Amino acid sequence: MNARTPLQIAVNRYEQRNGCPFVPTRKLFYDRVGINQKRFGMLLRGELPMYGFEAKSLAQFFGVEVTELLNDEKPVRKSKSPITTV
C-alpha cells in the first residue's frame, strides 16, 4: 500500500463530502488556488515541500486546516540518475 500524503487525504475527504470525484480545471481550481497542474501533481504525490501560501490556498479550497496539510516529513524525491555503488 502506498503512503498517502496529507494533501491526498484532504482531496479524498473533499470527494466524500461532495459525493463525486475531484476533477480540477484551470478556471475553477488552478487559477483560483494559484498553483499550476504540474506543481499540484508533485505536491499531491509528496515530491515537493508545500509553501505556506500554497497550504493556505489549498486548505481554504478543500475546507481543511492548514496544519493538516503541513507535516514535518521530508518530501520523497525521485532521482533522475541511477546511483551506483562500488
Side-chain angles (χ1 to χ4, degrees):
M1 184 170 130
N2 292 339
R4 293 175 43 152
T5 65
L7 184 53
Q8 288 172 334
I9 294 167
V11 170
N12 186 281
R13 288 181 187 163
Y14 178 85
E15 291 174 334
Q16 289 176 353
R17 278 194 313 270
N18 292 314
C20 61
F22 173 64
V23 182
T25 63
R26 191 184 80 191
K27 185 175 183 179
L28 297 177
F29 178 72
Y30 297 114
D31 288 349
R32 185 173 168 189
V33 174
I35 299 173
N36 67 35
Q37 183 179 2
K38 182 176 179 179
R39 178 140 179 99
F40 177 71
M42 294 176 88
L43 292 172
L44 191 64
R45 292 185 300 274
E47 295 174 354
L48 294 175
M50 191 178 301
Y51 295 121
F53 75 91
E54 293 169 330
K56 183 178 177 183
S57 294
L58 290 167
Q60 186 176 18
F61 184 89
F62 290 116
V64 298
E65 295 292 323
V66 173
T67 55
E68 291 181 46
L69 296 180
L70 299 175
N71 62 19
D72 296 329
E73 296 177 23
K74 293 187 178 183
V76 178
R77 272 205 107 136
K78 296 179 182 178
S79 175
K80 292 184 179 182
S81 60
I83 299 173
T84 56
T85 57
V86 179

